[in-house]
Amino acid sequence: MQLRLDKSETLFNRAQQTIPGGVNSPVRAFKGVGGTPPFITKGRGPYIFDADGNRYVDFVGSWGPLILGHAHPEIVAAIQKIAQQGTSFGAPTALEIGLAEMIVDRVPSAEMVRLVNSGTEATMSAVRLARGVTGRDKIIKFDGCYHGHSDSFLIAAGSGALTLGEPNSPGVTKGTAADTLLAQFNDIETVQALFEKNPGQIACVVVEPVNGNTGCIPPQDDFLQHLRKLCSEKGALLVLDEVMTGFRVTRGGANELYGVDADLLTFGKVIGGGMPIGAFGGKREFMEQVSPSGPVYQAGTLSGNPVAVTAGIETLKRLDKLAYEKLESLSKHWATGLQKIIDKNGYPLTQHRVGSMFTLFFSENAIRNTLDVAKCDIEKFNRWFNGMLEEGVYLAPSQYEAGFMSLAHTIEILDETLAKAEAVLGEVF
Ligand code: KE4
């Protein structure tokens, strides 16, 4: 069925006159998968609707935040109600304490948190704090892990393969890149090598505990535990970037799921319930070094604003034990159904899932990190993506992204979607 996207095409052409690439975040432009990105007009539960009236079952959920589903009536009502009291004061409010206490209550390693306005702000600030408290300049990140767009993270594998970072965006200075070292996810030896080459210089290791930005790749062979041990031995901080996994993979995030003690953690997405938010937190001894209680500066005009905080509080309130059991059962139903299709037809496909985040990789090899994802059949992935879009299913428009289940999805919707998946995969292969 050919999708009618006339209105989206008109909007996309118009948008490109005043907005770079016609979008306010690159992945939305569908450059990887081709075609016109549908311009969305509204969301309801598990569905989003575009300007041409097409309805899609949504497995992106704004890249994770909409874990309750779109336009949850009680979240919308809470936002409407608090907005009538005023949207931002640039002054402390009791609401911020409420959200901070909820995060600290749920996340084992979080003793204090600072609220910010995006995941990028959270990770940027956590790295500054790690550098501030250790007096060290270098950081280790992992090839394929994404921590937002601050300069220290926009680093590609340099000529020295995975040792020296090089800018992967114009505007990032060589000086900045020199302080970011690159290791390989699920390969502890690449981390050990960097610590040996840079003794006493590494402030922290920043890692997505589940690598969600190369498609969903879980830590394997106690990778996180090895990272913890190495950081403790070398006096570096372990920073878990839970912007995607936080309150997603379990109630206490990957920090709870894998039982790995973090020095600092970062959050975003779910804790704002669809409103702009981020947070960084962790051990009191470090967090108390953040201004104004300590010398490490960090600030933000709209940090902790009542509207985003209220949306976050009301979302977390509804993420109780039962909610995670339901998310697990829906996500398992999806993965089991897809695996049946794969096994029945012998398709060269691999699935990874951690809780309610998941990815279908167009490869039959083991997927341990981004090097393995680079060997996926992207042409077939793109045909899968576009085939499902035409069937009214909105998947993440890149093999390098994770998909997300929401509490608004139902077994019936998943079964309908699985039937479509079987038909589309039949076309692809
Ligand atoms: P934001 O600055 O986009 O709120 O968060 C940055 C960020 C930090 N850490 C992790 C683990 C993240 O996944 C993200 C943002 N995730 C992407 C999705 N892969 C956001 C989508 C986009 O860039 O438009």
Side-chain angles (χ1 to χ4, degrees), residues 51 76 104 121 127 140 152 171 178 216 284 322 326-327:
V76 172
V104 166
E121 258 194 88
V127 160
I140 292 176
S152 292
C216 175
R284 183 178 300 278
L322 268 180
K326 184 179 174 192
L327 277 168

Side-chain angles (χ1 to χ4, degrees), residues 25 27 63 118-120 146-148 208 213 241 243-244 269 401:
S25 200
V27 71
W63 302 97
S118 71
T120 294
Y146 177 70
H147 304 291
E208 291 183 61
N213 285 288
D241 177 353
V243 168
M244 188 185 285
K269 298 181 193 277
E401 294 287 356

Side-chain angles (χ1 to χ4, degrees), residues 244-272:
M244 188 185 285
T245 55
F247 314 98
R248 165 62 62 179
V249 296
T250 57
R251 187 172 179 274
N255 185 215
E256 178 185 69
L257 182 67
Y258 296 105
V260 63
D261 189 25
D263 298 303
L264 296 176
L265 310 101
T266 56
F267 306 101
K269 298 181 193 277
V270 167
I271 61 166

